[in-house]
Structure formats: structure tokens, C-alpha cells
Amino acid sequence: MFADVRYALRQLKSSPGFAVAAIFTLALGIGATTTIFSVADALLFRPLPYPHSDRLVMVWDELSKIGVHRMPVSLETFDAYRTDVHCFDATAAFTEEERTLIVSGTAERVSVLSSSPGLFEMLGARVAVGRGFRSGDWNPQHNDVAVLSNSLFARRFGANPGIIGRPIRLEGRLYTVAGVLTPDFEFSLHGEGNDVWVPLPTMKDPRVWQFRMLARMRPGIPIETAQASIRAAARHVEETVRPYRGPNDEDPGYRANVISFRDQLFGDFRTSTLLLLTAVALLLLVACVNVVNLLLARAVSREKEIAIRRALGASGHRLLRQWITEAAVLATIGGSAGLLLTHWGILLLKVVNPAEFPHGTRIGTDFRVLLFAIIISTLVCLLLSLAHAIPLRSKNLSLRGPRRTHRLANILVAAEVALALMLLITCSLLIESFAKLRQIDPGVRVDHLLTMQIQLSGQRYGEARQRAGFFSGLQDRLARLPGMVSVSTVDRLPVFTVGVDTTSGNPFSIDGHLWNPDAPSKQIAHNMTVGLDYFRTMGIPFRRGRDFSPADGPDAPPVAIVNETLARKFFPDGNAVGRHILFGAPDPKNPDAHWMTIVGIIGDVRTGALDLPPMPQFYRPEMQDGNGRMFVVLRTMREPTSMARVVLRIVHQLDPQQPVFHVSTMENHVAQTLGQPRFRTTLLSFFASVALFLAALGVYGVVAHAAVQRTKEIGIRIALGADAARVITAILRESLRPIAAGIVLGIAGTAMLTRFLSSVLYHVKPDDPGAVAWSVALMAIVGAAACGLPAIRASRVDPVIALRQE
């Protein structure tokens, strides 16, 4: 075996050009495949870092008739599900919210998780310092304990164990620090993990739907059984307590759903990840076919060696062992280099797209990734061994070499071209889709716009007037800054992440049309609370009516502004000015259900996902709502980020205990919503480019080798009077046939990816003729160039020199 390995290494050393090309090709294919597998493993395959993670599920309520499919449960429904559904052996309710933490006079927004008993144990949480929660910590008289995350412990308290037993202030309430979690533990449905864990306080209204429900199924219970049980429990709740009804006792479509915890965390990334896995598998096949073609060409040149070794008594099995060893050496070197590229590739993914992976995704080269690389390298070794073994049974020599090898080389060229073309077409479709996404008008002017968020907390802002007064005073001071064009506020920024379902909304009634859950056109809309000058600041045009004014104060009649979609869809003449609209959740006891007079109509804004059509929208003035959680939007004459420091200083002067967070430009906010499409388009473009390069290299190698084999034939043709054009034509006629066959196969094979492509394309069909034609043209040009270069070189052969060769 060692002799075979030494001989294989000498063979690679004697052919450095072949060795470099083969190893580089294999490293590229294996490295790219292993890199994407590490991402897929973290998102789709690897167990979550919690005990019995495959049995963890989320339970959501649903109001299907108003488009709300994942609605938090109430304490009332949580108790019903916990007692009536016997598929669960553990349940917990929790909330996640941001609160203001004040330490040494410095305020910071932190993520706080409040939970019922049992969540710590269900998730396998452990403490590094102090203690965890005890049963008595949920006593209403003693539920003021807190457990800190390790990151907050290190960041704000310098990892000082002396914090244990000391109080911290959250939103004006004191909590005693009981313990600190271990560094390896994180849990959150969204965001960057929770900083503080506290017991769930006693709820005054058990019908308020605000809790997330996590449950662990009993062993052996499929999720379909849990789904059936939870829906039966929801029907019983609907029949007994009727938790969710419309203003006139309408049915909003109350249901309940169970979803696996993995799908809850990573479900939005499943399609993109599978698409990338498919693409990188095609790239690996292209790389393998390329190396197989190189081996076939090299094997033909070693026919004399094979004949001599046979004459000296070597059996077919002995020769096969040698070829397998050579393939194993090649695959091992290529796989090792591929692992090195995997490490760099993962680092590059994290640097280039740090925000495109869900928080907590642990991507790296661990044992699972190493095992996958070994398996891939083994499969490659077996494939290369077949290419080595083909000449063992070939005994018929001709002027062109063994016909069977020549035929097989053409088949492999066709396969290589087909695989590369499939990647090219997919890449073209994604590029066209991404270009159309970038051309979407969000309905606002994103240039020179700075945004930041403020959440008012404390007793000073307990009333709506006090909250509105703070933002009004802040707006006045900021508007006087040099270089400031206008300033306003809004409770949430428009434009959400592409691919997210944002078609749910709030039901509303209008003049003559009370909310009807069974109406053909659903009366649901996005509602937003805005400050004065919001529409001017955001660059949103008015179509009719007027803007909000200082006269629309808390004591004035309620007013609203609607968008064109709502006016056109629900008013016959499209003119909603002077008409009335009623806002409210489907609860007849909602005290905020006031009829509002519509005073203006504005242009449509993408308040939901950028790739979805505009929803009906209506806006309320901040002075009549008094929301304490608002974004401040500032339009500037200079670079927006240059104003951030001055704005933060003014906020601190008004109230040093109110932190400012999520500081960004509107351009950056809109760009972040295109994260997933940009990520997969970038990767697919890279894979397609590499596949095209490898395919061209493979075609060139096969044609060049075939031309070398035909040197005597070409010399005879030239000696008999054939000119260069006829020689080139003869070579191209034979060489372009497998390329044409590969193009046909590639177009047919692209249909296999339709299932993945249709869900990630925006206004582009998977069989878009433009993308297909562009890809076919590019492949044909590259293929013709790869065939043409060796054909031109062959046409310049000197017949005297060619016929002198043995």
C-alpha cells in the first residue's frame, strides 16, 4: 500500500499541470459544498442546543379571517391548552420585550424574558454564578428576582460576582440578581438573545393575548397528533369562553396551531438553504466531471504503461488497486484543501453577510462538517477510481485512441455543460428577480433620512399627554438644528423583510360597511401612529385633503389619514375625505374603538414586506394616541449619520434615562430587508461563475486532448491539401455536438428546480425566456471559445513534424 501511495505521489509530481488543475478543481467543489453544508446543518439538520429539542413545539392562536396566523395566546387559553392537551409533558408561557436597564445612572435597552415556571428546566438552562429560579420565585410577593445572561453580566457588570444579591432597576422596578447563566446558553425567538430573565408577573386580565407558548411533546407523539389535539382544545375554548369575537359577535376564524421549534426559528430560511444545497451539489458534480475528464485523457496517455505492466505479470486487480490508490491520494489532497477553503468560506460568509443568519446559528467546522467532508471525499474517490479503471479493459488502439474513451469523454462534456447551464439559468433568474426587487418604490424618499428609536419608561410618562409632550418637545429642538430639513415620529418604520408574510392587519369599519370577517374583500389594514410633518419628512405625497395639524390635539375630534389603496378599495369614488373609519381589534370592549374622520389621502407606502403589494393603511396623529415607543425620523441636508451624535446629545439633555437605539439610515433599513435575496443571489452567482469556468476548462481539455490524439490524421489532411478552415471546421463539428446536447439537457434539467425557484422569485417565471436565452447564449459562446482555441492550434500543425512522430 505504501509503495502504491509513493508511486501515486510520483505520478502527480511528474505531471504538475494535471496535479494542480485536478486538486484545485476538487478543492473548490468540496470546499464550496462543505461550506454550504455547514450552513444547512446549523439551520436544518443539527439538533438544537436544548434537551429533547426534536420534541419542542410552539403553540399559536390564529385568527384566519383577518390574516393573523401566529397570534400570542392569552393566559386563559394557555391554561386550557395546558390542562386539556395530553400530548405535552411540559409547557411554559413567556413574553419577550425590551425594557430600560439603569446602571450607575446610564440607561440601556435590554431584552427581558418573563416566563412561567418550567421554562428553565425545559430548555436545560444552567447558571454559572449564583442560582436559578426556585418555585417560590413565582409568588406574587417575591417575584422580583432576575437571572442575567452571561453577555450582559460581562458587558455591564464587568463579570463581577458581587452583583449577586444586589438590585437592578428595570422600567422603574427593582429586581434582585439571583444568578448568571452559562456563556453557552441562549434563547430567543428573535433578536440577539435575552439579557435578563424574570418570573412572569400575575396578570390582571387573563384574556389579553400576549404570551408565547412553548411545549414539549411526550416521547413517540408525532406533531400531527399534537396538532389535532390542540385544534380540538381550541374548539372547546371557542364553545365555552368564546375568547375572540368581532364587534357584532362575528367569528374572526379562531383556531390554534402547533409548529416545531426548529421551524419557528429557521423556517423562513428553509427554501433558500435547500436551493443553495442543490446549487452547490451541481457545482460539485461539475468539478468531479471535470477531473474525471482529465483522468480519462491522462489514462489514454498511460496505455503503454498499462501494457508493459500487464506483460510483466500484473493482474487487473493489481492495476485496479493502484488506480484506486491514486484516486484516493488525489481525493485526500483535494478534500484537505477543500476543508481549508471551508474554514475561509465560513469566515467570509460571516463577514460579508453577518445579519443574514438567524441569531444563534452556530456555523463552523465541527465534527459533523468534518465527517461530511470525509464522506464527500470518499464518494469522489470512488468516482475517480472508475475513471482510472476504464482503460484497463481497453485493448483496441486506433489513430484517434480508444473509441469507447472518446465517446465517454463526449458524454461527460455534455453532462458538464448541462450542469453548468442549470446553474447559469438559476443564477440569471435570481439576478433578474433581485433587480426587480431593487426597483420597487417603497413609497418614501430614503435618501438623507436618519432613523432612531426611543422607548419612554418611568412614572414621568405614565399618561398619553406626557408621552406626546416629550416627543413634541424633542421634535421642536431637533428641527432647529443646522442642516435639518424636517423631523417627525412614527411608531414603526415602513418596509419589512422580503419574504415575510405581512398581509395580516387590524380590522376596521367604514361608513356603511361594518367589519365583516366573511366579506370578499377583507377589511384589514396596517395602522400607524405618526407625528406632525411625518409625511413631508418621509417624502410621501398627498393626493387629497390635508395633513395633521397642531389643532388635532388630544381634546379634538379623532382624525385619520388613509392611503390610496384603502380609499380606492372601499369607497366607490375613491374619495374618502370627510368619511369615517373605526379602528379596533375584534373585541367589543375595546375602549379605543372611536370613529375617526378621514381628513386626507396619501400615496401608497410599502408598510409591509417590500415584495408584497401595498396594504390598506390608515394613520393616526401621535397627539391623539400618545404612544411611548416611537421612531424619530430626521431628513437632513448633510450626511445623515453625521447628525447622529448631536441628536443623541439632545435626547440625553431632555432625559438622560431614556436610551436611544436602532440608530440607522433609511437607506440601510431598506437594504437590510433585501438581505436573503441578496445573499442567495450572491452565492448563486459565484457558484455559476465557477461552474462556467470549470465547464470551459473541461471542454478545452477534452478537445485539446482529442486534437493531440489526432495529430497524425490532421497532418495527413493538411498534406493532402486541407486548409486551416476545413481542419477547424472538422474539429468544431465533432466538438460542438456534446455541447449542444448538454445545452438541451440543461434546459430540461432546470425544470427540476422549479419547485424551489417559484417561491423565491419576484415577478419572474422559472421558465423566463429572457434568462434562459441569455444563459444559453453565454454557454454557447464560452463552449465555442473553449473548442475553438485547440482547433486553431491544431490547424497550425506542420505535417512533416506530425508524420515524423512515432
Side-chain angles (χ1 to χ4, degrees):
M1 182 183 68
F2 289 111
D4 288 345
V5 171
R6 287 197 300 271
Y7 184 75
L9 292 174
R10 285 202 304 271
Q11 287 291 325
L12 292 178
K13 185 178 179 181
S14 65
S15 304
F18 163 79
V20 171
I23 291 172
F24 174 75
T25 301
L26 288 178
L28 204 57
I30 294 174
T33 305
T34 309
T35 299
I36 298 303
F37 171 79
S38 66
V39 176
D41 183 49
L43 297 179
L44 304 180
F45 309 128
R46 186 187 307 165
L48 298 175
Y50 310 113
H52 311 292
S53 62
D54 58 320
R55 291 159 47 196
L56 293 178
V57 296
M58 292 292 299
V59 179
W60 296 98
D61 279 350
E62 175 183 342
L63 301 180
S64 60
K65 294 185 179 181
I66 60 174
V68 180
H69 301 292
R70 293 187 185 180
M71 188 178 72
V73 302
S74 68
L75 191 61
E76 186 176 56
T77 53
F78 170 70
D79 289 336
Y81 299 154
R82 180 175 55 181
T83 56
D84 296 346
V85 179
H86 302 292
C87 298
F88 304 142
D89 63 7
T91 57
F94 64 95
T95 63
E96 292 179 292
E97 59 182 338
E98 289 184 336
R99 300 188 195 176
T100 300
L101 170 68
I102 300 176
V103 178
S104 302
T106 303
E108 177 186 354
R109 294 298 290 180
V110 296
S111 178
V112 179
L113 184 144
S114 306
S115 73
S116 63
L119 185 63
F120 246 47
E121 293 74 14
M122 195 187 310
L123 297 174
R126 293 175 295 116
V127 293
V129 182
R131 66 171 179 87
F133 291 117
R134 299 170 180 168
S135 57
D137 291 334
W138 278 269
N139 187 315
Q141 305 301 322
H142 304 90
N143 63 353
D144 53 355
V145 297
V147 175
L148 308 181
S149 70
N150 205 278
S151 60
L152 181 68
F153 176 58
R155 184 177 74 250
R156 291 306 305 268
F157 303 102
N160 180 10
I163 190 62
I164 303 299
R166 293 175 56 187
I168 60 173
R169 184 178 295 275
L170 288 171
E171 298 285 347
R173 180 176 177 181
L174 292 177
Y175 289 86
T176 301
V177 178
V180 178
L181 292 168
T182 54
D184 59 341
F185 179 81
E186 283 186 352
F187 174 81
S188 178
L189 293 188
H190 48 77
E192 300 182 356
N194 290 288
D195 299 307
V196 184
W197 293 57
V198 298
L200 195 66
T202 303
M203 304 305 299
K204 297 180 180 179
D205 187 354
R207 306 191 75 176
V208 176
W209 7 298
Q210 61 180 353
F211 302 107
R212 276 68 174 164
M213 179 176 175
L214 183 70
R216 186 176 62 216
M217 298 188 298
R218 297 183 183 277
I221 300 293
I223 195 169
E224 293 79 11
T225 302
Q227 180 71 36
S229 298
I230 203 72
R231 290 199 169 182
R235 284 194 298 269
H236 178 69
V237 169
E238 174 71 5
E239 294 169 356
T240 54
V241 301
R242 302 170 70 83
Y244 310 116
R245 309 301 296 180
N248 298 293
D249 203 40
E250 302 94 344
D251 176 20
Y254 168 60
R255 307 286 186 274
N257 286 312
V258 173
I259 182 174
S260 72
F261 191 52
R262 176 179 293 281
D263 285 345
Q264 175 68 44
L265 295 178
F266 306 136
D268 294 337
F269 295 81
R270 178 180 297 275
T271 300
S272 294
T273 305
L274 292 177
L275 178 61
L276 291 176
L277 271 180
T278 303
V280 81
L282 293 177
L283 176 62
L284 179 61
L285 287 175
V286 171
C288 290
V289 171
N290 197 301
V291 176
V292 167
N293 261 331
L294 291 175
L295 289 174
L296 283 176
R298 190 164 178 264
V300 172
S301 65
R302 296 176 65 182
E303 285 181 342
K304 288 186 178 181
E305 174 197 341
I306 297 172
I308 293 173
R309 296 185 68 170
R310 276 178 170 166
L312 293 175
S315 64
H317 292 293
R318 176 66 185 85
L319 293 174
L320 181 61
R321 191 183 75 184
Q322 176 63 46
W323 305 149
I324 293 176
T325 303
E326 292 186 15
V329 169
L330 195 58
T332 300
I333 298 176
S336 301
L339 268 180
L340 184 61
L341 290 180
T342 298
H343 177 70
W344 291 341
I346 291 174
L347 293 178
L348 184 62
L349 287 182
K350 292 181 178 180
V351 170
V352 175
N353 289 285
E356 308 315 328
F357 300 115
H359 181 76
T361 306
R362 302 179 181 181
I363 302 173
T365 51
D366 58 5
F367 172 75
R368 295 167 63 91
V369 175
L370 178 63
L371 180 61
F372 177 80
I374 293 174
I375 294 173
I376 289 294
S377 300
T378 303
L379 294 176
V380 170
C381 174
L382 295 176
L383 182 61
L384 300 185
S385 300
L386 294 176
H388 269 302
I390 286 175
L392 292 179
R393 300 179 61 185
S394 181
K395 299 178 182 179
N396 300 322
L397 297 178
S398 68
L399 195 62
R400 299 187 182 185
R403 290 186 59 82
R404 175 167 40 190
T405 304
H406 186 65
R407 221 170 21 243
L408 180 58
N410 285 338
I411 293 174
L412 292 176
V413 165
E416 192 171 15
V417 169
L419 295 171
L421 182 60
M422 290 172 64
L423 278 175
L424 268 181
I425 294 175
T426 303
C427 173
S428 300
L429 292 170
L430 289 178
I431 290 176
E432 187 175 349
S433 173
F434 186 65
K436 290 189 175 182
L437 280 173
R438 294 190 62 182
Q439 293 171 0
I440 296 175
D441 180 10
V444 300
R445 280 182 50 207
V446 299
D447 62 293
H448 291 85
L449 203 58
L450 183 68
T451 67
M452 59 190 67
Q453 192 172 16
I454 299 175
Q455 169 69 62
L456 298 179
S457 61
Q459 296 181 353
R460 292 178 55 185
Y461 309 104
E463 297 182 4
R465 289 176 181 267
Q466 296 169 322
R467 297 190 292 268
F470 172 87
F471 286 111
S472 177
L474 175 62
Q475 185 174 344
D476 290 341
R477 293 193 59 174
L478 294 178
R480 292 195 294 268
L481 288 175
M484 195 70 67
V485 177
S486 61
V487 183
S488 189
T489 54
V490 62
D491 61 344
R492 64 183 178 92
L493 293 177
V495 186
F496 281 78
T497 300
V498 165
V500 175
D501 182 9
T502 54
T503 56
S504 61
N506 292 288
F508 65 90
S509 299
I510 58 176
D511 290 334
H513 294 281
L514 295 180
W515 179 68
N516 180 9
D518 299 313
S521 296
K522 292 185 177 180
Q523 291 180 210
I524 56 176
H526 291 164
N527 70 288
M528 303 171 72
T529 301
V530 301
L532 297 176
D533 277 345
Y534 171 75
F535 303 105
R536 183 169 71 93
T537 302
M538 299 295 284
I540 304 172
F542 265 84
R543 304 305 186 197
R544 292 188 181 183
R546 65 172 178 87
D547 197 352
F548 296 131
S549 70
D552 300 316
D555 299 323
V559 292
I561 292 174
V562 302
N563 70 334
E564 284 183 292
T565 294
L566 190 149
R568 185 173 56 249
K569 192 173 182 179
F570 296 100
F571 294 93
D573 57 356
N575 185 9
V577 176
R579 310 294 290 273
H580 298 87
I581 187 170
L582 173 66
F583 163 73
D587 184 352
K589 299 180 181 179
N590 185 3
D592 296 325
H594 301 297
W595 283 99
M596 297 172 286
T597 302
I598 299 173
V599 296
I601 302 175
I602 51 101
D604 288 331
V605 178
R606 306 279 177 145
T607 52
L610 194 63
D611 56 337
L612 295 177
M615 284 276 293
Q617 305 153 15
F618 60 91
Y619 300 79
R620 296 183 296 168
E622 178 195 354
M623 294 179 294
Q624 295 183 350
D625 186 28
N627 198 330
R629 183 187 181 96
M630 300 290 285
F631 281 92
V632 180
V633 291
L634 311 96
R635 181 164 298 280
T636 65
M637 290 186 289
R638 61 182 72 169
E639 172 62 31
T641 53
S642 65
M643 304 288 291
R645 188 180 300 274
V646 179
V647 175
L648 295 179
R649 185 172 66 248
I650 291 178
V651 174
H652 186 76
Q653 291 172 354
L654 286 176
D655 190 339
Q657 295 189 351
Q658 301 306 321
V660 180
F661 48 105
H662 298 162
V663 180
S664 178
T665 65
M666 193 64 190
E667 288 179 323
N668 185 52
H669 171 71
V670 174
Q672 286 180 349
T673 67
L674 298 173
Q676 278 203 57
R678 181 187 298 107
F679 177 65
R680 58 176 174 252
T681 302
T682 302
L683 284 186
L684 257 297
S685 300
F686 172 74
F687 295 156
S689 302
V690 173
L692 183 64
F693 170 76
L694 293 179
L697 192 64
V699 170
Y700 175 84
V702 169
V703 176
H705 181 73
V708 170
Q709 285 185 300
R710 298 176 61 180
T711 300
K712 289 184 179 181
E713 174 198 342
I714 294 171
I716 294 173
R717 288 176 180 271
I718 295 176
L720 293 176
D723 58 8
R726 295 189 65 179
V727 173
I728 294 174
T729 302
I731 295 177
L732 288 180
R733 184 186 301 115
E734 185 173 340
S735 302
L736 290 177
R737 287 173 185 169
I739 294 178
I743 289 175
V744 174
L745 291 174
I747 294 174
T750 306
M752 299 169 56
L753 299 177
T754 302
R755 183 166 62 91
F756 295 117
L757 291 177
S758 57
S759 60
V760 298
L761 297 178
Y762 176 75
H763 286 188
V764 177
K765 295 181 179 179
D767 57 350
D768 181 71
V772 174
W774 182 90
S775 302
V776 169
L778 180 60
M779 178 56 71
I781 292 172
V782 171
C787 295
L789 292 177
I792 293 173
R793 188 166 59 245
S795 69
R796 297 172 180 172
V797 168
D798 188 340
V800 176
I801 297 176
L803 295 176
R804 280 179 183 173
Q805 294 181 358
E806 187 176 10

